[in-house]
Amino acid sequence: MIDAWLEFCSQNAPALVIAIPLIAAFATPLFSRISEKVRNIWVVLSLLATFRVTATLLHNVLDNGQVVYTLGASVPSLTAPDGFPFRIILQADAMSAFMAIISVSMALIVCIYSFRFMGKKSGLDKYFALLLVMTAGMIGLVTTGDLFSMFVFLELLSVASAAMIAYYSKGESAEAAFKYMVVSSIGALMILFAAGMLYGQYNLLNIAGLAGVIEFTLIDKMALVLLFSAFALKCGAVPLHMWVSDAYGEAPAPVSAFLVVASQAGLYALFRISFTLFGGLPGIATMGWAMIIFGLLSMFVGVTMAIPQKDIKRLMAYHAVSQTGYMLLGVGVGLAVINDMGSLALFGKSAMEGGIFHVINHAMYKGLLFLTAGAIIYRTGTKNLNEMSGLAHTMPLTTIFFIVGALSIAGLPPFNGFASKLMIYESVFLFNPLFAVIAMVVSILTLASFVKVFHSAFMGPKVSKSAKGGEVPLSMWFVMGILAVLIIFFGIFPDVMLDNLVTPAVDALLNQAGYIGGVI
Amino acid sequence: MIDIQMIAVVVLIALGISAAVLKRNMIKVVMGIGVMGSGVNLFLVSMGYVEGGVAPIFTNTPNLTMVLATPQALTLTSIVISLAVTALMLSFSVMIYSKYGSIDTRKRRLKE
C-alpha cells in the first residue's frame, strides 16, 4: 500500500510539487478555524510533504536525467503527439530540481521561524497561506517548460510576495508593496508580450520546442531583450534594482529571507532563457557580456549603496543586490564564452559552477542574516542601527549566527561564501583580470559594511531599550542554527555540494540539445 | 500592409507605460498598467486571428474555419491575472490613502 503510494508520488512528482503547496495554501484558512496549533502543524506537514516529493524529484533527475511531465495527457511521457508539443509540459532537469529544493528548504525554515516571530498578530492564516502560494509559484516557475506558464507562475509569485510585503499594513510597507507590484507587473506583461511574439512566428509556446526551431530573426532578438530585461528586473540586477531595497526592507524579516529565494527564481528564468531558449545561437555570447555588465554594476552599486544605510534590513537588502551580481558575473562569463569550447572548458564552466554554487550559498547566508535581523527586531523593536547597542550581552547565540553570516557573505574561509567566491575569482581572472579585482574589492567593502553593523548592534554597552528580554525563543534560534551549521559544513566540504548538485545543474544548463530532446 | 490592430497594440502599450511612468496619482498608475495589459491581450488575440474564422468551439462548428484556440486561452488567463493584480494594487492604494491621506506618489516616506 505505502509502496504503491510512494510509486505514485515518484511518477507524478513534477505535478505534485506544485499541487501540494497550492492545495495546502487554500486549506490553511480552514484549518486555522479549528485552532492555531492545528494550522501550524498543517503548514509544516504540507511543507514537509512538498520537501519529500521535491527530494524524490531531485533523486529521479540526478539518477535518470531530466523528468518530463505532460499535463492532461493520457500518459505523462507523451510530450509531443504528432511531433508537436501543444500541451503544457513540466520539465525538470538538474538545474530546476536544484532551484526547487532550495525554495522548499527555505520555505520550511522561514515557516518554522515565523511561528514565534509573528507571534499573536492577526491574519496569520493568510500569512501562511501566502507563504505556501509563494512556494508553489517558485517551484512552478523553475519546473515549467512552457513560456506562458512561466508568466503565470511569475505572476502568482509576484502577487503573493506583494501581499506578504504589505503584511504589516503600515504606510511604508504598502508603499513598498505597491512599488514592487507596479514594477513586476510591467515586467510580467513584457514577458507575455515576448511570448506572443515567439508564438506568432513559430506557433509554439514550449521552451524546448521553440529552442529547436528558433532562427534569431529581428523579432526573436526583440523578444530576447524583453525577456532578458524582465527577468533581470525580477532578480534585482542593478539598473532595475530600485524595488529590492524597499521590498526587502519593509517586509517582515522572514519574508525578506524568502524573497531572496523568490528573486533567485527570477535568476533561474534568466539563465533558462539565455542558455536554453536562445542558447546555441551565434549572437548569444553578446548577452553574456550584458549579463557580466549587469553583474559588475550590481556588485559595485549594491555595496556602495549599502555602506551608508542606517536601517539594518535596508542595508542587507542592498547587499542582496550586490551578491546577485556575483551570480550574474559567474554565469555571464560562462555565457560569453559558450561558443568557444576551449575557453568554456578552461574557465567558463568553473565560472558557471561558482555562480550557481553562489545561488545556494546566498540563499543560506542571506537567509540567515535576514533571520538574525529579525531576531534583533523581535527583541528591540527597532530597525535603526543607531538605536541598538550591546546586544551581544543579551543575545549570544544571535551574535554567533550573525558573525557566521557576515563572514560568509564577505567571502572569508571557512564559510561557504568563500568556496563559491574563490571559484568565481579564479575563473573570472582568466577571462578578464579586472573583473576579478572588482569582485574582490566588493567583498572587502561588504566586510567593512558588516563590521559596521556588528560594531553598532552587538558591541558596546547595553542600552535600556535593547537590554530587555534575553535570547530569542528556541524555534527561532534553532532554524538559524541549522543554517549556520550548513554554512560552515559547505564551507569546509564544498565538494559535497559541488559534485552532487552544482555540477549536474551546470551540465544541465549547458546541455541545450538534451533539454530539447526531452520533449521532441 | 500594416495591420490596424497592431497600431492599436502599440498605442495602448505606449499609453499604458507613459501613464505608469509619468503619472503621480497612484490610481492613474494602476490604470496605466491595466491599459498596458489590454494592449498585450489584444496582441495575443490578434496573433491567433484567422481570416473569416469563427469562435473555436469544435463541436458546434466542425467544418468551418476557426480562429486559433491557444491565444484565446492565454488571453483569458491573462485577463484573470490582470484582474487580481489591479485589485491588489488598488487595495495598496487604499492602505496608503488611509495612512497618509494622499495618493500622490511624491508624498512618499520611503527614501534612500
Side-chain angles (χ1 to χ4, degrees):
Chain A
M1 177 63 197
I2 287 183
D3 282 347
W5 180 241
L6 282 178
E7 183 64 27
F8 172 80
C9 285
S10 167
Q11 275 171 359
N12 297 292
L16 284 174
V17 284
I18 303 169
I20 295 172
L22 208 51
I23 293 168
F26 291 103
T28 306
L30 291 177
F31 282 95
S32 198
R33 295 192 71 97
I34 304 172
S35 86
E36 208 171 284
K37 214 162 218 143
V38 175
R39 178 200 67 208
N40 291 357
I41 292 171
W42 165 253
V43 175
V44 169
L45 277 183
S46 51
L47 278 174
L48 279 174
T50 318
F51 183 82
R52 179 72 184 79
V53 180
T54 313
T56 315
L57 178 67
L58 181 67
H59 193 260
N60 287 352
V61 167
L62 292 180
D63 279 0
N64 314 322
Q66 58 181 323
V67 173
V68 180
Y69 191 92
T70 316
L71 293 175
S74 51
V75 187
S77 57
L78 193 69
T79 49
D82 316 326
F84 190 74
F86 58 83
R87 289 195 168 96
I88 292 177
I89 295 172
L90 301 175
Q91 191 168 7
D93 61 5
M95 182 69 197
S96 318
F98 171 75
M99 294 303 294
I101 203 90
I102 298 177
S103 316
V104 188
S105 320
M106 280 308 287
L108 203 53
I109 282 172
V110 162
C111 174
I112 294 169
Y113 184 90
S114 300
F115 291 144
R116 286 305 291 272
F117 182 82
M118 302 312 284
K120 298 283 174 204
K121 290 196 173 62
S122 62
L124 279 180
D125 49 341
K126 285 128 199 149
Y127 175 92
F128 287 109
L130 286 168
L131 190 77
L132 286 165
V133 173
M134 269 177 89
T135 317
M138 271 178 227
I139 299 178
L141 184 59
V142 300
T143 52
T144 184
D146 185 281
L147 215 48
F148 184 73
S149 32
M150 210 174 227
F151 159 77
V152 172
F153 285 120
L154 193 74
E155 280 287 47
L156 188 69
L157 178 58
S158 306
V159 168
S161 312
M164 292 281 264
I165 293 164
Y167 179 79
Y168 283 146
S169 64
K170 293 179 305 182
E172 287 91 351
S173 59
E175 264 179 30
F178 186 82
K179 192 174 187 176
Y180 176 77
M181 208 58 239
V182 169
V183 166
S184 54
S185 57
I186 291 179
L189 284 173
M190 286 302 145
I191 292 165
L192 187 61
F193 194 70
M197 282 171 157
L198 293 173
Y199 179 82
Q201 289 182 88
Y202 303 107
N203 217 4
L204 275 168
L205 283 166
N206 186 276
I207 292 176
L210 275 171
V213 293
I214 210 152
E215 283 160 355
F216 224 37
T217 58
L218 179 67
I219 294 176
D220 290 346
K221 285 178 192 165
M222 286 159 70
L224 169 64
V225 170
L226 285 179
L227 288 169
F228 191 90
S229 36
F231 285 123
L233 182 146
K234 286 303 294 182
C235 72
V238 145
L240 312 158
H241 69 294
M242 62 290 180
W243 61 270
V244 176
S245 50
D246 290 349
Y248 289 17
E250 294 304 323
V255 176
S256 307
F258 205 39
L259 281 172
V260 170
V261 194
S263 314
Q264 289 179 341
L267 203 62
Y268 161 85
L270 183 65
F271 297 159
R272 181 59 80 205
I273 295 301
S274 315
F275 282 92
T276 305
L277 183 54
F278 291 92
L281 295 171
I284 198 66
T286 319
M287 293 322 278
W289 275 95
M291 213 185 259
I292 292 171
I293 290 165
F294 271 169
L296 290 171
L297 276 174
S298 308
M299 285 197 297
F300 198 73
V301 175
V303 82
T304 42
M305 293 291 275
I307 289 173
Q309 298 301 324
K310 290 186 186 66
D311 177 327
I312 183 165
K313 286 189 60 209
R314 212 174 163 79
L315 183 143
M316 288 182 180
Y318 277 116
H319 279 296
V321 173
S322 162
Q323 297 302 311
T324 306
Y326 281 91
M327 303 163 209
L328 288 171
L329 175 65
V331 179
V333 166
L335 187 60
V337 296
I338 193 168
N339 294 325
D340 178 356
M341 279 305 151
S343 308
L344 189 66
L346 186 64
F347 57 83
K349 191 155 176 278
S350 60
M352 282 179 69
E353 280 172 5
I356 302 290
F357 192 21
H358 208 63
V359 170
I360 190 163
N361 291 343
H362 181 64
M364 282 193 269
Y365 63 65
K366 184 52 85 179
L368 177 65
L369 282 171
F370 272 124
L371 296 187
T372 51
I376 295 170
I377 294 164
Y378 183 78
R379 274 299 174 225
T380 62
T382 176
K383 295 194 291 181
N384 192 336
L385 282 169
N386 292 339
E387 289 173 19
M388 35 180 111
S389 167
L391 290 172
H393 294 286
T394 50
M395 304 167 80
L397 284 170
T398 309
T399 313
I400 293 169
F401 298 147
F402 180 84
I403 293 172
V404 170
L407 294 183
S408 180
I409 197 175
L412 293 185
F415 302 103
N416 63 0
F418 171 73
S420 48
K421 281 189 180 178
L422 186 66
M423 291 178 74
I424 296 173
Y425 299 153
E426 280 182 345
S427 46
V428 171
F429 186 82
L430 293 174
F431 181 71
N432 188 332
L434 181 65
F435 296 168
V437 171
I438 294 175
M440 283 181 212
V441 169
V442 168
S443 274
I444 295 165
L445 290 174
T446 307
L447 183 64
S449 161
F450 273 95
V451 166
K452 180 190 98 172
V453 177
F454 180 68
H455 192 265
S456 92
F458 293 99
M459 293 282 124
K462 280 193 250 188
V463 296
S464 57
K465 196 177 177 188
S466 61
K468 63 168 188 269
E471 191 51 70
V472 288
L474 179 114
S475 65
M476 280 167 75
W477 68 254
F478 180 70
V479 289
M480 289 196 276
I482 292 177
L483 283 174
V485 168
L486 285 175
I487 286 170
I488 296 172
F489 179 79
F490 289 121
I492 299 174
F493 305 106
D495 287 348
V496 177
M497 184 64 85
L498 275 173
D499 295 344
N500 293 322
L501 284 176
V502 175
T503 311
V506 171
D507 287 339
L509 211 48
L510 287 171
N511 185 3
Q512 191 207 13
Y515 194 88
I516 298 171
V519 169
I520 298 171
Chain B
M1 187 197 129
I2 299 168
D3 296 324
I4 188 97
Q5 71 272 25
M6 289 304 160
I7 298 172
V9 167
V10 171
V11 169
L12 281 173
I13 294 182
L15 277 177
I17 292 190
S18 56
V21 173
L22 301 174
K23 290 292 171 191
R24 293 196 168 113
N25 183 326
M26 280 184 181
I27 306 288
K28 287 184 183 163
V29 172
V30 177
M31 282 164 70
I33 290 171
V35 170
M36 199 182 147
S38 313
V40 175
N41 287 338
L42 180 61
F43 177 70
L44 279 179
V45 169
S46 57
M47 282 289 110
Y49 182 69
V50 176
E51 198 77 39
V54 295
I57 305 167
F58 187 75
T59 43
N60 285 1
T61 53
N63 299 320
L64 294 174
T65 9
M66 294 180 291
V67 296
L68 299 184
T70 317
Q72 308 229 335
L74 303 189
T75 311
L76 204 59
T77 318
S78 155
I79 288 171
V80 174
I81 291 173
S82 352
L83 177 74
V85 168
T86 310
L88 190 66
M89 286 200 290
L90 286 176
S91 61
F92 291 149
S93 313
V94 170
M95 278 159 72
I96 290 167
Y97 183 77
S98 64
K99 197 77 188 172
Y100 300 148
S102 158
I103 44 170
D104 190 330
T105 48
R106 279 168 297 186
K107 292 192 178 137
R108 67 193 204 113
R109 302 293 153 90
L110 278 176
K111 282 182 183 145
E112 300 307 331

